[in-house]
């Protein structure tokens, strides 16, 4: 086994707690406080991944969210989680992880043959081939798909739960590094309600891998002091392991908090993740910066790492990623890491600096420590394999860094630490609507002018010195609190830190290797997608010159790291190729999420049979369940569909329910119909505008059927509205349309007719409604209710009376959707079950039979009554339904204008008709398309379709409603339903009325 | 053909380190005038230019794009292609498009990766199923492939779907169009651009139209940030901004512009092999060749031109996906974006003439324009070349909003595309 790379002491890991974990089936050990990446490095595991296209071995490059390589699958079964970054996985005992690529193994990957064919696979090669023969594409694609993709989705449902919180705050601080801590301190002292979120397990940011003293304290101790002050502030919330992933309009931000993934055996009551939906008055972006790699031949080999990552692994995790380290830099910051290594007594082979005369305090210190510095040199290539680097090849470079002057041989090493400068994390600023601007000094993009109430500070704002960060953070926090309206004193002392003079950075986007571009080892820009300098040049050559085209053509920045490491280099290289300034090229769009967010967390609790959408049940639901009802989903409601007796089929049950209702007495739970209270002196006028018919003359105690249209003149909803009092109406709507109708009417009231004194309230759930239908309905009502006169004259059809039914205060309507004599009883929902029970008991002798929606549909279809949404589809006018009579000539209403349009006046429109099949036992399928004659060739001209179709138990033959072109004038003619299964069913057109066409029964 | 794409040309160019590839399309300076100017370098506009040249011999054509080609909805959609629409007018138009898709890579000599992996539209209620039956029967009679699947058949094709009868909205069935599928959206723009360029069409990027020049009720050209360009005819295909260009010509369109969001997960090994769409549990999903789950969210209800949407829409959408696919709960969402869709009152496009002679509009595709790309270009090219619509787009006039001859795809075909 390889030797351990753990240094003897140091780091903030807890060495007393040894943890064991497995990677690709091998057991390793690490310490509490390790990440999977640091533990793998400590165990000298160099290759953790195979690259996307060429399957080249890849090792850990970074130490956080920027990591493109170490993508692993963690856990198994219902806990399997794909595509986590080893650099962000906190180690726990028993963790199992495996790499997501490499076949048959990570070490021996046969797909690496792709590497040999690499020249055939430039950017966008797939657009140029796999085209012929055409039928083979699906075969090619099968293999492309198999080769692509990272981890595997779990095969089992997730057992974890996720929560959401909504919160307001004065100041949201993103990032808990030195800048963020100072901002929080200042804002907190000013009295602001502060939330500070940091993606790492603890606050501190860059200080966690720093050795420089701050305010006379060790960095860790200083962080501790600030955190403990913040913890004591009651209005400050500190959120570790929490990434601000999205910045939306109106200072709405989303935080993804991870609560259990780092735990060995999480308390099952703990929710795995939480989404904080934050509305912040002010935002401070203290997001820091990400080090930029350098682009040279074979810069992807395991052992090439960011200098900052080397520093983090050493200082924070006590891991020295190599025994012999070479640095390659174009700026001063890497020298800080060199000094940390020197201080820890480690060997630094050399520093290769592209600058010919680097000046700066740190450089002097490194020089005096005896570390050789190759000035004006570059690393042109590296040698190494799956187990790490063997050497780097260096060369002298000219002043403009684009030409090799002389090759200088090799430096033996096992790690190359690189630094190409720093990219401020401007993602959230950009998401907020800001436009990052290119800054020559740091050769990267800085936040532009703020668009929302946010300010950037610290390294995220291009301020890199620690002293400046602390000052800027304090200032940002103080001013944010002030802008949020806080008047408290937000002043804080700026702790003293050692500062040093830094030399300037010399940008180098591509390191020359003495060969023509594209020759020699590949120079990788985006490690995860295997995008090389040659790919970028090819894209530019082929005309994909917009930075967005570049991204899409070469997949630059398309990976799960979203280009945090490679994008700036890639854009600068494109600019260089095009001879433009990087600032002119611009960036691709920064969009949510900053780092990926678990679907489950975004979905939250609103999934599953209970919470995906509320289930609405009527007051008598339990009775229906107890009596064996089958249910139908209508909108959010569960409606009894039919009530099969033991052994009964659906058809038999529906037949029995229909016949009982027609012959004696049926009872329906009609509670789900939408009910809207309409009150106010202009209610009648309002109804007049909403409905097609006239409402000015409706007397108190009477009801009327109404049809409402969309602006296009098409039927939108229908229902019965009654006048309860002088300025008081109750509208009923379809079950599924209730919410829409209410919103629709509110829209008209609020935006178009604000002067109308009308007030709308949904009362759907307040009432329990049952319809008692059949020739014996009057008899049972008379039995149950003594304070209403049910005689035909005293209580005529289409009227409403108040009274007491079975001792319960009720409104009784005499209306009918079945064509039978029928009453609808409305009582307060709380009394629903008592009323239902009382009716059932009283009706026993009359064979009272509960019927469901299916029987209701049959009964109404026998009468030719439409169901909006089933017999209409948004393209049907009242005239098409044969209901011209309901459109009043004497007034206007919504949609009326549209009815006089040329096409809506057309004779040959699809009209509602009745159909009877030639074979009376055959029931036409609903949705059957109709033809004038069976089709022999396709496309065939269709003349309509079947909207409703049933077997009528009362008539003993099948019936159907259909919309047929010019149907009303075609009575008696034949149409053919030709079905996708090949059947052809002939039918005859008739009136859309099958039963009691004179409507005698409901008026008795 | 020079610079033809094939495995052989790839191999040949590999020898020379791919340094001899020509640009896929030229970036010429604008000429003084053109026979036809197409405003909008999205898929539809580029397809229009290509078919103008290749089908009608009109090669003196420029495509004017204010940013980079394919940067609007062409590069922002969920790439679903299908033709199983309800109404005859829509069905015939989209079927024409689907047929063009079927040979498009070969015709353009650019692999647009049209992948006929099937499109499934789920039904969750009895009314959904009535609508599915109705639409499938209509598709069958219109000569369009369609099947109605039962839950057990759905389970066979997509075993990871939650088809439990105890789900909040159980899957009762589905329509399935096997010829439907997905394509590589950027490649569609690039492929049409390259093919159009080869036919002589000038593609002018970073060329923003600022005015429509007219004389005596006829169009004479356009004003742009790169100067005035004359044209005998102007075709406008600028989804997301149709009303903006229309107002330059003094026209008002019956269009509302809304943000429509989409999102992708991190890449996964192949797990979902067909496109699945659901209206009731609102979401649609497929898996790209790169392995990402590509998910369409809903339309934000407010209007606007900002290509970003609100988080609540994403929450609802991901909830729907997790509800349908519980195994995706631990998968992570990588990135979300928005496009601006121009929505007509009847959810169908406007493709045809305007009251201004020589000015043509192709707009209002709402949330479903990608699948129509080749067909839309084909009929629009015909309309511009002949000055009269093709029978396939004759019904999609601007006048239908005054005559009332709407083609309402809201009703039974569903609004999700």
């Amino acid at each position: 086994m390889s030797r351990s790379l753990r240094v003897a002491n140091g780091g903030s890991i807890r060495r007393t707690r040894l943890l064991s974990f497995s990677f690709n089936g091998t057991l390793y050990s690490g310490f509490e406080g390790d990440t999977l990446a640091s533990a793998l490095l400590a165990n000298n595991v160099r290759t953790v991944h195979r690259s996307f296209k060429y399957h080249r071995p890849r090792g850990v490059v970074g130490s956080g969210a920027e990591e493109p390589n170490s993508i692993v699958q963690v856990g198994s079964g219902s806990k399997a989680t794909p595509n986590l970054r080893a650099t962000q996985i906190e180690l726990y005992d028993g963790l199992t992880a495996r790499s997501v690529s490499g076949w048959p193994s990570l070490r021996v990957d046969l797909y690496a043959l792709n590497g040999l064919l690499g020249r055939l696979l430039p950017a966008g090669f797939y657009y140029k081939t796999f085209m012929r023969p055409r039928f083979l594409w699906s075969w090619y694609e099968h293999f492309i798909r198999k080769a692509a993709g990272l981890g595997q989705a779990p095969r089992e449902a997730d057992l974890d739960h996720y929560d959401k919180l909504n919160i307001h705050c004065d100041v949201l601080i993103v990032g808990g590094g030195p800048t963020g801590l100072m901002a929080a301190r200042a804002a907190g002292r000013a009295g602001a309600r502060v939330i500070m979120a940091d993606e790492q397990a603890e606050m501190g940011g860059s200080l966690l891998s720093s050795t420089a003293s701050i305010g006379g304290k060790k960095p860790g101790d200083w962080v501790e002091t600030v955190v403990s002050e913040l913890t004591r502030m009651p209005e400050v919330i500190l959120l570790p392991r929490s990434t601000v992933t999205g910045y939306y309009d109106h200072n709405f931000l989303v935080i993804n908090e991870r609560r259990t993934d780092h735990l060995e055996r999480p308390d099952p009551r703990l929710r795995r993740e939480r989404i904080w939906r934050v509305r912040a008055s002010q935002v401070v972006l203290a997001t820091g910066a990400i080090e930029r790699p350098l682009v040279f031949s074979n810069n992807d080999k395991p052992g090439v790492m960011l200098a900052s990552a080397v520093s983090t692994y050493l200082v924070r995790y006590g891991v020295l990623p190599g025994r012999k380290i070479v640095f390659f830099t174009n700026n001063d910051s890497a020298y800080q890491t060199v000094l940390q290594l020197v201080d820890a007594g480690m060997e630094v082979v050399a520093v290769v600096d592209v600058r010919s005369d680097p000046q700066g305090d740190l450089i002097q210190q490194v020089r005096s420590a005896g570390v050789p510095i190759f000035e004006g040199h570059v690393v042109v290539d590296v040698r190494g394999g799956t187990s790490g680097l063997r050497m780097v090849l260096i060369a002298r470079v000219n002043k403009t860094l684009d030409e090799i002057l002389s090759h200088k041989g090799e430096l033996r090493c096992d790690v190359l630490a690189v630094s190409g400068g720093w990219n401020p994390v401007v993602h959230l600023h950009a998401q907020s609507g800001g436009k990052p601007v290119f800054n020559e000094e740091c050769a990267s993009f800085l936040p532009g002018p703020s668009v929302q109430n946010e300010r950037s500070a610290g390294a995220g704002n291009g301020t890199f010195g620690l002293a400046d960060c602390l000052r800027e953070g304090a200032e940002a926090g103080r001013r944010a609190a002030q802008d949020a309206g806080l008047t408290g004193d937000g002043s804080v002392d700026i702790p003293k830190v050692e500062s040093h003079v830094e030399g300037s950075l010399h940008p180098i986007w591509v390191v020359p290797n003495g060969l023509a571009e594209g020759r020699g080892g590949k120079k990788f820009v985006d490690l995860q997608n295997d995008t090389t300098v040659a790919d970028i040049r090819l894209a530019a050559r082929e005309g994909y010159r917009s930075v967005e085209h570049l991204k899409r053509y070469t997949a630059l920045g398309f990976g799960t790291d979203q280009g945090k490491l490679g994008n700036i280099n890639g854009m600068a290289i494109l600019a260089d190729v095009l001879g433009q300034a990087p600032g002119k090229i611009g960036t691709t769009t920064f969009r949510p999420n900053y780092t990926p967010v678990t679907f489950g967390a975004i979905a939250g609790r609103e999934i599953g049979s209970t919470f995906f959408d509320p289930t609405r049940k009527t007051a008598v639901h339990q009775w229906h369940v107890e009596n064996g009802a089958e249910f139908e989903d209508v909108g959010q409601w569960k409606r009894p569909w039919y009530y099969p007796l033991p052994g009964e089929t659906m058809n038999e049950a529906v037949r029995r329910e229909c016949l009982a209702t027609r012959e004696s007495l049926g009872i329906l739970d009609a509670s789900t119909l939408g009910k809207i209270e309409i009150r106010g002196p202009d209610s009648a006028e309002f109804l007049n505008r909403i409905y097609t018919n006239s409402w000015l003359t409706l007397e108190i105690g009477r009801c009327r059927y109404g049809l409402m249209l969309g602006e296009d003149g098409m039927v939108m909803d229908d229902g019965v509205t009654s006048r309860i009092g002088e300025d008081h109406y109750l509208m009923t709507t379809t079950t599924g349309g209730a919410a829409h109708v209410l919103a629709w009417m509110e829209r008209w009231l609020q935006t178009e007719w604000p002067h109308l004194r009308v007030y709308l309230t949904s009362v759907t759930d307040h009432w329990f409604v049952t319809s008692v239908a059949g020739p014996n309905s009057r008899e049972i009502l008379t039995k149950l209710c003594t304070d209403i006169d049910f005689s035909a004259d005293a209580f005529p059809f289409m009227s409403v009376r108040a009274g007491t039914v079975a001792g319960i205060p009720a409104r009784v309507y005499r209306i009918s959707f079945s064509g039978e004599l029928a009453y609808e009883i409305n009582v307060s929902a709380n009394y629903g079950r008592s009323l239902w029970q009382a009716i059932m008991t009283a009706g026993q002798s009359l064979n009272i039979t509960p019927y469901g929606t299916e029987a209701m549909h049959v009964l109404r279809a026998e009468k030719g009554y439409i169901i909006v949404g089933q017999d209409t589809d948004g393209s049907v006018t009242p005239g098409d339904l044969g209901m011209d009579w309901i459109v009043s000539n004497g007034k206007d209403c919504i949609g009326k204008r549209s009815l006089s349009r040329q096409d809506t006046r057309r004779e040959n429109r699809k009209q509602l008709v009745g159909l009877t099949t030639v074979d009376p036992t055959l029931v036409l399928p609903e949705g059957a398309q109709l033809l004038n004659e069976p089709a022999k060739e396709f496309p065939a001209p269709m003349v309509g379709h079947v909207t409703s179709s049933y077997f009528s138990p009362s008539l003993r033959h099948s019936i159907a409603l259909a919309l047929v072109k010019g149907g009303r004038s075609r009575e008696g003619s034949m149409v053919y339903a030709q079905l996708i299964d090949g059947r052809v069913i002939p039918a005859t057109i008739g009136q859309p009325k099958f039963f009691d066409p004179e409507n005698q029964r409901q008026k008795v | 053909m020079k610079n033809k794409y094939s495995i052989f040309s790839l191999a040949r160019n590999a020898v020379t380190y791919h340094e001899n590839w020509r640009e896929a399309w030229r970036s010429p300076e604008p000429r003084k005038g053109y026979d036809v100017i197409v405003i909008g370098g999205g898929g539809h506009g580029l397809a229009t230019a290509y078919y103008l040249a290749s089908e009608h011999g009109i090669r003196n054509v420029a495509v004017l794009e204010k940013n980079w080609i394919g940067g609007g909805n062409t590069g922002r959609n969920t790439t679903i292609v299908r033709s199983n629409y309800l109404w005859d007018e829509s069905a015939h138009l989209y079927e024409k498009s689907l047929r063009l898709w079927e040979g498009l890579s070969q015709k353009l000599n650019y692999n647009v990766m049209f992948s006929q992996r099937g499109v499934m539209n789920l039904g969750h209620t009895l009314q959904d199923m009535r609508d599915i039956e109705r639409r499938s029967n209509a598709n069958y009679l219109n000569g369009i492939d369609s099947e109605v699947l039962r839950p057990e058949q759905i389970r066979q094709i997509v075993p990871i779907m939650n088809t439990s009868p105890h789900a909040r909205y159980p899957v009762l069935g589905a329509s399935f169009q096997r010829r439907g599928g997905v394509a590589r959206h950027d490649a569609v723009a690039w492929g049409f651009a390259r093919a159009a360029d080869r036919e002589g069409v000038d593609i002018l990027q970073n060329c923003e139209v600022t005015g429509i020049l007219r004389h005596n009720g006829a169009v004479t050209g356009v004003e742009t940030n790169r100067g005035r360009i004359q044209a005998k005819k102007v075709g406008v295909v600028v989804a997301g901004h149709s009303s903006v260009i229309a107002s330059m010509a003094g026209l008002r369109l019956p269009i509302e512009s809304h943000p429509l969001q989409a999102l992708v997960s991190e890449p996964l090994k192949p797990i979902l092999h067909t496109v699945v769409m659901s209206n009731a549990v609102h979401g649609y999903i497929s898996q790209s060749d790169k392995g990402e789950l590509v998910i369409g969210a809903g339309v934000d209800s407010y209007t606007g031109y900002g290509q970003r949407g609100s988080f609540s829409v994403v929450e609802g959408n991901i909830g729907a996906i997790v509800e349908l696919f519980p195994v995706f709960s631990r998968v992570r969402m990588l990135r979300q974006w928005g496009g601006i869709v121009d929505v007509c009152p009847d959810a169908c496009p406007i493709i045809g003439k305007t009251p201004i002679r020589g000015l043509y509009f192709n707009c209002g595709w709402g949330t479903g324009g990608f699948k129509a790309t080749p067909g839309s270009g084909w009929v629009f090219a015909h309309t511009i070349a002949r000055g009269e619509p093709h029978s396939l787009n004759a019904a999609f006039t601007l006048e239908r909003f005054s005559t009332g001859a709407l083609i309402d795809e809201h009703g039974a075909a569903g609004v999700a595309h």
Side-chain angles (χ1 to χ4, degrees), chain A residues 377-388:
Chain A
H377 279 67
V378 293
V379 171
V380 288
D381 204 347
V382 301
R383 300 268 187 270
T386 51
S387 48

Side-chain angles (χ1 to χ4, degrees), chain B residues 294-315:
Chain B
V294 182
I295 295 169
V299 173
D300 279 79
S301 53
Y302 56 85
T303 56
Y305 292 115
Q307 289 169 321
R308 45 197 273 139
S310 48
F311 185 62
S312 60
V313 172
V314 171
E315 288 176 292

Side-chain angles (χ1 to χ4, degrees), chain B residues 35-265:
Chain B
D35 289 343
V36 177
I37 281 178
V38 176
I39 306 177
H44 289 227
L46 293 163
T48 304
Y50 168 69
Y51 290 117
L52 274 171
S54 67
E55 301 274 317
H56 303 280
I58 302 175
R59 294 190 163 77
N60 186 22
V61 175
V63 177
L64 274 44
E65 168 55 49
K66 73 171 172 176
N67 291 316
W68 38 283
I69 60 167
N73 294 339
T74 299
R76 294 167 191 274
N77 64 85
T78 51
T79 81
I80 297 170
V81 176
R82 62 184 179 92
S83 67
N84 55 353
Y85 275 66
L86 171 67
W87 299 107
D88 295 349
E89 297 87 345
S90 311
H92 293 148
L93 179 61
Y94 287 103
E95 177 62 12
K96 169 71 186 175
S97 192
L98 181 51
R99 288 183 185 202
L100 290 170
W101 274 111
E102 285 175 323
L104 198 60
S105 293
Q106 292 71 30
K107 181 104 178 163
L108 300 181
N109 181 232
Y110 200 108
N111 192 351
V112 298
M113 302 188 173
F114 177 49
S115 172
Q116 293 179 290
R117 43 190 60 257
V119 176
M120 203 180 273
N121 294 73
L122 303 178
H124 299 267
T125 64
L126 297 177
Q127 187 58 41
D128 277 357
M129 290 314 297
R130 284 179 203 115
D131 293 339
I132 280 173
E133 292 280 353
R134 176 185 175 195
R135 182 160 47 81
S136 297
N137 281 318
N139 293 154
Y140 158 68
L141 291 169
N142 268 324
I144 295 169
D145 73 307
S146 183
E147 292 164 49
V148 179
L149 302 181
R150 297 184 306 275
E152 54 271 25
Q153 294 170 296
I154 296 171
R155 260 193 293 280
Q156 269 180 6
I157 300 171
V158 190
I160 56 170
M161 193 193 297
N162 175 12
T163 48
S164 160
H166 307 295
R168 176 66 187 89
Y169 293 110
V171 174
L172 302 183
S175 71
F176 192 41
Q177 186 178 27
R178 288 183 197 267
R179 284 165 64 238
V182 289
R184 174 81 182 92
H185 53 9
D186 295 321
V188 177
W190 301 337
F192 270 118
R194 176 166 167 270
D197 176 89
R198 219 167 43 192
E199 297 276 352
V201 171
D202 281 359
I203 293 164
L204 308 173
Q205 298 185 90
N206 302 309
C207 184
E208 180 170 5
V209 170
T210 53
I212 306 283
L213 304 173
R214 284 156 289 161
H215 185 70
N216 286 340
V219 74
T220 58
V222 296
E223 201 72 70
T224 79
N225 61 347
R226 293 171 71 173
R228 178 171 291 196
I229 309 175
Q230 288 166 356
K232 294 176 190 142
K233 293 177 176 181
V234 174
V236 184
V237 209
V238 292
H241 285 77
S242 305
S243 309
V244 178
I245 299 281
S247 71
M248 289 178 194
L251 297 173
R252 287 189 70 197
L253 299 174
I255 275 179
E256 286 187 349
S257 301
H258 293 264
L260 172 67
Q261 298 187 66
L263 55 99
V264 290
S265 74

Side-chain angles (χ1 to χ4, degrees), chain A residues 83 119 131 134 141 158 160 277 431 519 541-542 544 549 597 599 608 613 873 901 903 926 940, chain B residues 18-19 24 69 102 106 110 115 130 134 141 169 267 289 308 315 323 329-331 333 401 403:
Chain A
N83 299 349
R119 291 264 291 280
M131 281 178 279
R134 206 182 106 192
E141 195 186 25
D158 192 356
D160 275 311
R277 307 164 93 250
Q431 284 184 28
R519 318 298 199 272
R541 185 177 305 131
E542 293 195 280
Y544 302 92
H549 281 159
V597 182
F599 275 16
D613 200 24
D873 59 7
R901 292 185 295 185
D903 194 76
E926 287 167 349
Chain B
H18 301 286
E19 281 169 1
I69 60 167
E102 285 175 323
Q106 292 71 30
Y110 200 108
S115 172
R130 284 179 203 115
R134 176 185 175 195
L141 291 169
Y169 293 110
D289 284 351
R308 45 197 273 139
E315 288 176 292
E323 177 67 11
S329 174
R330 296 175 88 86
V331 170
M333 171 185 150
F401 300 97
T403 63

